[in-house]
Amino acid sequence: MVNPGDSGMCPTACICATDIVSCTNKNLSKVPGNLFRLMKRLDLSHNRIGLLDADWIPVSFVKLSTLIIRHNNITSISTGSFSTTPNLKCLDLSSNRLKSVKSAVFQELKVLEVLLLYNNRISSLDPAAFGGLSHLQKLYLSGNLLTQFPMDLYVGRFRLPDLTFLDVSYNRIPSIPMHHLNLVPGKQLRGIYLHGNPFVCDCSLYSLLIFWYRRHFSSVMDFKNDYTCRLWSDSRHSRQLSLLQDSFLNCSESVINSSFHALGFIHEAQVGERLVVHCDSKTGNGNTDFIWVGPDNRLLEPDKDMGNFRVFYNGSLVIESPGLEDAGVYSCIAMNRQRLLNETVDIMINVSNFTINRSHAHEAFNTAFTTLAACVASIVLVLLYLYLTPCPCKCKSKRQKDVLNQSSAHSSVLSPGPSGDASTDERKAGKRVVFLEPLKDTAAGQNGKVRLFPSETIAEGILKSTRVKSDSDSVTSVFSDTPFVAST
């Protein structure tokens, strides 16, 4: 027993042993004021303390590191409730009647490492409630009424960098924010316990749990049978499925692989482009040694000349210029200096030569673009040639004369030279036309195409008149369309 004195005494309702005081099941509504001031552990469980306010602990206990007040009737916590116990490292508030955790109720507990809030009625958490707990390592929230995963504990302004254990099992969480979980470091990710929640069956959730299972996370390995989900057939009927069963919902490999990509299990590399892969292990600290094992069972270690590979002391693996032969499964082995803890992390690295694919696509684009541009230019030139070619003024004055001579003009189309009776002025005022005469004895296999050789004769005639409507109906005309005309 502790003797009475300035440092306090041991009340008759409590049991004291040096720096440990137990006042369990004594029908207490507040902390006795005459307790031993230098105690380190105080157990007040199974009493009837209903409200934690600024006066519920009347004196300061600066040495107190563990406070247990489970199984009381605590319904709310006021700001300043722990101002007299600033050095608490473990606080047990489990099995009470808390419905929410409001902002700044734990702000005085700067060195708190373990907080137990399981088996309450908590349905909401203020993101700022744990903001000041920079040293918090373990948080127990199992057996509450939470409907959302507390992502604010890992990302954002109030995140807890040292939180390596979070138990939110047996709540009412139907889904997990997959797109945010890839931001959580591995040493924190492996300490998340999700079993016992009423999950809705989903291939992404299945991929997440399989990823954790393959990395031997104890949160999944130890509670494999407690991970279930509900598959709804309609609004009223559902059936329970095991999430970690083989061929779950026939989830495709593409969905699973996309989740593995997001979670860091699969890395994509391009030929010749530097790749950095981190060893995301729970043992990652200053007292940890890292060794990588390549697909060919080659050991990759720090401070060793390994050509294309390099390993840093923080566990990162660098492949300076990946090749197709470097693809495969790489294993990171993390061991602490005392060799009391080791861990193996498997990473799949895929190497692809995207440069070749991009060059083929570029060439195809250039070819198509060039062809399209050539077609457009040809059409424009033809239209300009047909409709914008100027006609000399003399054509109008001689139109009547040319109409009378149109039959002779047609007969001269295939003649080897200009008409003998055409005057010099007419030749200067007219337009020169060049025609290619199709071969009459087309050889087999040429499909009637025009052959043009140096020995062949090019018929060159002078068109004496513009074509009139009757030209298109003439049987003796060689070409049914208006010929291309060039001014001399």
Side-chain angles (χ1 to χ4, degrees):
M1 292 289 184
V2 178
N3 294 324
D6 294 337
S7 61
M9 59 179 295
C10 185
T12 56
C14 303
I15 299 174
C16 304
T18 313
D19 57 356
I20 299 176
V21 177
S22 176
C23 302
T24 63
N25 200 18
K26 301 300 180 180
N27 202 29
L28 299 174
S29 60
K30 62 188 308 182
V31 176
N34 56 350
L35 287 176
F36 177 50
R37 305 286 179 82
L38 301 179
M39 63 181 172
K40 294 183 178 180
R41 178 186 174 93
L42 174 60
D43 189 351
L44 295 170
S45 59
H46 293 280
N47 282 285
R48 58 183 184 88
I49 302 172
L51 176 64
L52 299 185
D53 55 20
D55 299 326
W56 82 284
I57 301 181
V59 295
S60 179
F61 298 101
V62 294
K63 294 289 186 178
L64 189 63
S65 61
T66 302
L67 176 59
I68 303 171
I69 44 180
R70 60 175 177 245
H71 287 284
N72 280 268
N73 295 317
I74 301 172
T75 56
S76 65
I77 305 174
S78 302
T79 303
S81 298
F82 302 101
S83 59
T84 55
T85 58
N87 296 311
L88 279 181
K89 291 187 176 181
C90 178
L91 175 60
D92 188 350
L93 286 165
S94 63
S95 300
N96 281 285
R97 297 184 179 181
L98 292 171
K99 294 183 178 180
S100 64
V101 180
K102 298 180 180 179
S103 174
V105 294
F106 301 116
Q107 63 181 354
E108 298 93 358
L109 305 178
K110 303 298 184 182
V111 296
L112 190 67
E113 297 177 354
V114 180
L115 177 58
L116 295 88
L117 293 169
Y118 65 86
N119 194 28
N120 276 275
R121 302 175 183 178
I122 302 173
S123 59
S124 63
L125 296 172
D126 192 311
F130 311 102
L133 308 182
S134 57
H135 295 282
L136 189 65
Q137 299 175 12
K138 294 185 177 183
L139 177 58
Y140 294 80
L141 290 168
S142 177
N144 280 283
L145 304 177
L146 296 175
T147 57
Q148 292 183 343
F149 181 80
M151 200 67 218
D152 294 312
L153 300 175
Y154 297 100
V155 296
R157 175 184 174 187
F158 302 106
R159 66 185 184 90
L160 305 178
D162 291 340
L163 186 65
T164 56
F165 182 96
L166 173 65
D167 183 5
V168 289
S169 61
Y170 295 100
N171 276 271
R172 298 182 178 181
I173 302 174
S175 61
I176 302 297
M178 302 295 180
H179 56 290
H180 285 152
L181 278 183
N182 64 330
L183 303 175
V184 181
K187 65 178 182 179
Q188 292 183 295
L189 200 65
R190 65 179 57 256
I192 299 176
Y193 288 75
L194 300 170
H195 57 281
N197 279 284
F199 291 120
V200 176
C201 294
D202 179 72
C203 286
S204 298
L205 178 62
Y206 168 74
S207 302
L208 172 71
L209 297 178
I210 287 294
F211 171 73
W212 289 0
Y213 190 82
R214 292 184 182 181
R215 295 188 65 174
H216 306 288
F217 286 11
S218 58
S219 58
V220 178
M221 299 288 291
D222 298 343
F223 300 95
K224 178 180 178 180
N225 296 329
D226 294 326
Y227 282 93
T228 60
C229 65
R230 291 184 179 182
L231 184 64
W232 294 89
S233 55
D234 53 46
S235 59
R236 296 182 178 181
H237 301 88
S238 66
R239 58 191 179 100
Q240 204 84 358
L241 295 179
S242 174
L243 266 168
L244 294 174
Q245 64 177 327
D246 295 334
S247 65
F248 173 79
L249 291 182
N250 295 322
C251 294
S252 65
E253 287 295 325
S254 61
V255 173
I256 297 176
N257 287 338
S258 64
S259 298
F260 285 175
H261 276 283
L263 294 168
F265 182 69
I266 299 178
H267 291 264
E268 297 291 342
Q270 297 185 23
V271 171
E273 294 188 5
R274 190 171 185 261
L275 175 67
V276 179
V277 181
H278 301 288
C279 184
D280 204 0
S281 70
K282 64 182 178 182
T283 58
N285 53 54
N287 295 321
T288 305
D289 294 325
F290 296 93
I291 297 176
W292 284 83
V293 180
D296 54 355
N297 294 324
R298 176 186 176 188
L299 289 180
L300 307 174
E301 304 177 64
D303 288 340
K304 286 193 176 181
D305 185 10
M306 297 168 291
N308 199 29
F309 299 90
R310 186 179 178 186
V311 177
F312 291 89
Y313 283 103
N314 64 356
S316 298
L317 171 66
V318 176
I319 306 178
E320 294 294 344
S321 182
L324 296 176
E325 67 279 1
D326 295 324
V329 177
Y330 289 76
S331 299
C332 174
I333 303 174
M335 299 173 291
N336 63 358
R337 299 287 167 81
Q338 292 77 25
R339 298 296 188 266
L340 298 177
L341 179 65
N342 66 77
E343 178 189 11
T344 300
V345 179
D346 293 331
I347 302 293
M348 171 70 75
I349 296 178
N350 295 327
V351 182
S352 303
N353 195 353
F354 294 118
T355 305
I356 297 178
N357 297 332
R358 285 199 298 265
S359 63
H360 288 333
H362 183 68
E363 291 174 1
F365 174 78
N366 285 341
T367 303
F369 180 78
T370 304
T371 304
L372 178 61
C375 292
V376 172
S378 300
I379 294 173
V380 171
L381 291 175
V382 169
L383 293 176
L384 291 174
Y385 198 75
L386 288 177
Y387 296 102
L388 298 182
T389 303
C391 180
C393 298
K394 295 182 179 181
C395 292
K396 295 181 180 179
S397 61
K398 298 182 179 181
R399 180 172 297 176
Q400 296 298 327
K401 182 178 179 180
D402 291 339
V403 169
L404 297 176
N405 296 330
Q406 66 175 349
S407 59
S408 62
H410 280 291
S411 62
S412 66
V413 168
L414 299 180
S415 63
S419 177
D421 59 347
S423 65
T424 304
D425 295 336
E426 289 175 341
R427 286 198 298 269
K428 292 181 180 178
K431 298 180 180 179
R432 185 176 299 276
V433 183
V434 178
F435 296 94
L436 299 181
E437 179 183 1
L439 296 177
K440 295 181 180 180
D441 54 343
T442 305
Q446 289 183 343
N447 298 324
K449 294 183 179 180
V450 176
R451 290 186 303 172
L452 182 60
F453 292 95
S455 59
E456 292 181 348
T457 302
I458 299 178
E460 190 178 75
I462 301 175
L463 187 60
K464 296 183 179 179
S465 65
T466 57
R467 298 190 58 178
V468 295
K469 184 176 180 181
S470 61
D471 290 349
S472 60
D473 300 327
S474 175
V475 179
T476 62
S477 177
V478 176
F479 297 105
S480 60
D481 293 331
T482 303
F484 293 169
V485 181
S487 299
T488 57

